[in-house]
Each structure stands twice: as C-alpha cells, then as structure tokens.
Amino acid sequence: KSFRSPVPHPHAAILHFLLQKQAVSEMVSVEEFEAAAKEALDLPSSTTNEDKLALYGFFKQAKEGDCTTSKPGFFDPKGKAKWDAWNANKGMDKDTAMAKYVEKVASLK
C-alpha cells in the first residue's frame, strides 16, 4: 500500500494549468480543418509519400473515427498503406486528429 499525502504537491496547480493550456492549444475549429484540407491539395511536389499517408490517416480519423474496414490484401499495396496510416491513429479523438492534420499541413507548406 502506498502512502498518499493529503496535501497536494506544490506544483500540482501549475501542472494542471499547463496541461489544460496544451489541450486548448491543440484544438482547432472545423473551419481551420477544412481550410487545411484545401491547402493540402496544393502541397509541394516534394511532399513524401510518408507525409501524404500521415495526412490521410489524420484526415480519415478526424472525419470517420477508428478504421472499421478490413485490411486490404497483398495485391493492393496502395490500399494497404492507406489502411495502415489510418489504423495507426486508432483511438485518437476527432479534435486531436483535426489538430494533428492542421499542424502537419502547416509543416509541409
């Protein structure tokens, strides 16, 4: 049995504030998300497939939630890569997926 002090840690309030601030800063509006989706159509040609797949995964997670389709087979490598990118975000909530999508698009401009 571990000992728990009835007195909160002196930095608990600061940590709570910082965590709340981080959570708020991660939230983006639907309008920001949709604007980023439009911007993603004009990303540089040097954008890697890995980055495109990350965007795809965040977009699908934000729009549809967890991947519920079956994994494509061996003869569909593109579909399999897209499925893997989406499924990698399993359990991520919509707001976080939208924020990560907007952040990723901004980093690729």
Side-chain angles (χ1 to χ4, degrees):
K1 187 173 180 181
S2 66
F3 173 76
R4 286 186 153 220
S5 171
V7 179
H9 190 277
H11 300 295
I14 295 170
L15 291 171
H16 180 72
F17 171 77
L18 291 173
L19 289 173
Q20 278 186 321
K21 187 175 180 182
Q22 180 182 3
V24 170
S25 70
E26 287 180 3
M27 294 183 69
V28 297
S29 68
V30 172
E31 291 78 19
E32 289 172 298
F33 176 74
E34 290 173 358
K38 287 180 183 176
E39 291 172 9
L41 298 174
D42 295 322
L43 289 175
S45 59
S46 60
T47 305
T48 66
N49 281 339
E50 183 178 300
D51 287 332
K52 290 176 187 176
L53 286 169
L55 285 174
Y56 177 83
F58 293 139
F59 184 88
K60 291 290 278 186
Q61 189 69 21
K63 296 297 262 182
E64 299 183 34
D66 288 345
C67 181
T68 57
T69 62
S70 57
K71 188 173 186 173
F74 179 76
F75 295 106
D76 185 7
K78 184 177 180 179
K80 187 176 177 218
K82 290 168 84 173
W83 187 93
D84 286 338
W86 181 10
N87 198 55
N89 299 312
K90 190 173 200 162
M92 184 183 294
D93 64 88
K94 178 180 180 171
D95 290 331
T96 301
M98 286 175 37
K100 287 185 175 283
Y101 182 85
V102 169
E103 181 182 311
K104 186 72 171 173
V105 169
S107 75
L108 296 172
K109 288 195 238 175

